[in-house]
Amino acid sequence: MERVRLSSLLDAGIETPFFIYSAAQLAADWQAYAEAVAGLDAIVGYAVKANSNPALLRRLAGFGAGAVVVSDYELRLALESGFAPQQMLMHGNGKRPRDLEAALRAGILLSVDSEFDLEQIISRATALGVTARLLLRVNPDIDPQVHPYISTGLLDSKFGFAEGAVERLRPRLQKLSSVEVVGLHCHLGSTLKSVQPLRDAARLLAVLVNELRRDGHPIQILDMGGGLGIDYSRGRDKIPTPDEVTEAVRPVLDELGLQLFLEPGRSLVARAGALIGRVLGVKDNGRKHFVVTDASMAQLIRPCLYGAFHSIELLEESVAGPQLAFDVVGPICESSDFLGQGRLLPTPRPGDGVIIYDAGAYGFAMSSRYNLHLGCAEYLVDGDSLRRVRTAETFDDLSRHFSDEPISVGTRQPSARPAARD
Amino acid sequence: MERVRLSSLLDAGIETPFFIYSAAQLAADWQAYAEAVAGLDAIVGYAVKANSNPALLRRLAGFGAGAVVVSDYELRLALESGFAPQQMLMHGNGKRPRDLEAALRAGILLSVDSEFDLEQIISRATALGVTARLLLRVNPDIDPQVHPYISTGLLDSKFGFAEGAVERLRPRLQKLSSVEVVGLHCHLGSTLKSVQPLRDAARLLAVLVNELRRDGHPIQILDMGGGLGIDYSRGRDKIPTPDEVTEAVRPVLDELGLQLFLEPGRSLVARAGALIGRVLGVKDNGRKHFVVTDASMAQLIRPCLYGAFHSIELLEESVAGPQLAFDVVGPICESSDFLGQGRLLPTPRPGDGVIIYDAGAYGFAMSSRYNLHLGCAEYLVDGDSLRRVRTAETFDDLSRHFSDEPISVGTRQPSARPAARD
């Protein structure tokens, strides 16, 4: 990776598994967005949920990225990492009071997902004495043709207002206090493989922009969400570029004089990251061959959760025994713990390194401590420099939360006895 | 729950979501196993991976349970919680060096999953100068008719030796050093709905027991794994009892004079636990109704990962608006974040409590910090006493692992310059 030999990390005895990121790849993927929005009034807001490692956040903030957050802690991390509140947005179908509080205090944009969300924002903004700038999240019922778990723009989705609902909401929007509606927001889903759904959605939102402007709302922003996929197959899939995204929506932006907000997550960080593990052994059950690694679903749940494909290679091809079709599995005691199935690989030896590619997005972010495999370390490569950007968890990180304290609620306790007079 | 009113916890302002466990339910579910093995030479080894909260572990150890662990940290926790090493077993298809080291030092039973596992155990036991007692994990290729992700006893599975492989292994087993084979182990999968597969597997293992005994191995233990389901539907499903399990295998045990080892996880702790959340709001997208709660896939991934069913109710039925079919969803920014679909519930108000039942197993154990919703608290009810048995994570638990330190590996560094002579 760049000028650091990954197998040298294993030779040096660095604990596996770990995630490692390439600063150069991150910069290149950012550059594609920077060029795509050149000449446009646009904010490219990185979706922090994809990967919230501060070392990546600081770099993205330094490039001039905005940030999209979905919780108070994501917001706090983004602010600490240098993102400007003017370029930040919080969305979410279920903002908790703590999330709203943090967003309103920071003065960032809020995407409104539902009527209850709107009312809660208004009441909290009023209490805080601030005016919140809102985007309305519209669910355009356009099929993005992706895995149902990451499709968000269909009517079965829990996200946003259906078009008809926006229509019904218009009278309520005429009587707002402590908030103003400054834009529209949609997000069709993740891993989009064509920009046509975005083009359709922009056209549809343009109609709403005009209606809301007629109602007197200062609509300035069109947030087209994120959702660009990456080519996990490393060669087979044709994935739209950021440039194609902006070209698809540019006519609407120009026509209506709107600022574009984009929310890439995956396409900014997925390629920059890899999961590195060590081979524990090779087995064969008479029907299948298995490479068992110390990397597992505890670090990368995407293969098991979505049937997602990640390219997998051995770090040192020189170790090669015969090439076979292997299931690459982890040590977690559960059949769902696989990283790849039927992969042609040379037969490795115990201790050999394995790289699972394109794990920069929704890898560590969705990791668990299943089987008490605790949080792993993360590293960042920049040219020939290597830095540890997250330390691995230890038993203390677990045990510091063990507790055995009585809690008193619900039953009326006798009030404290007054000191005896004597 | 027992004599603690759950809604009183919410009234008292306790942070949601959280897990809560009933000591009485835990005791009752243990009792069913204790009665089922009465009169048998048996160890009931709790599968720690289902839920490793020490408050539950201490109680189970106190009842006389053994423990089944799959990692060094699970082993350490189990020992600290009072389980006797003589009643403990480590299994796993990919034991890491650190896991083997811990198991061999503690002197617990080891289930051998593969040839590479056997060789690694032998070499490490030899290095430590100990003799390890082993069970051979056999994959009997019996379909347990459960979800493929939790089926473990078919030939496509990554676990265990196929029958034919044991046959081929016999010459190797004749020349063992530092280990002895004292039993056989199988595990058909989780959430078994019939004991017939167990009966079949026991018969099949009996043949192998005789063969291994003829080879001179002191086979004393038959580990039939775990895998009893529970009735997640709360009334519709007929689930085998521990008693039916022991009855199914008793003929083989009696005939061969074997000690029984059972590995229940789910059926000991699932019913004892619930996930409690608060309603954030109710929405309707024109096609579906949604209850949005602060509990999510970050705490309980089973519905999303396996399509698992958990019964869901409001804590206070008195709040009732009209009864509708709701999808109960969390606030995580992903369509897969649901807890239940199409559930008939009274329409709740924001702030109302929601209980997700039977979340004691594979709930907290598989939880993540997705969207930076950090680890939640856990409580234990015992009669009218309530104790916090795990504190919630805070931002500090995240930030204490942020790091930015240079690491030097791989490139030969110029050797330190000798001090200049002068």
Side-chain angles (χ1 to χ4, degrees), chain B residues 58-75:
Chain B
R58 283 193 300 269
R59 277 169 193 258
L60 288 163
F63 295 153
V68 177
V69 298
V70 295
S71 68
D72 55 343
Y73 282 172
E74 283 194 3
L75 171 56

Side-chain angles (χ1 to χ4, degrees), chain B residues 143 270 338 412 414:
Chain B
D143 186 353
F338 64 89
R412 297 259 160 229

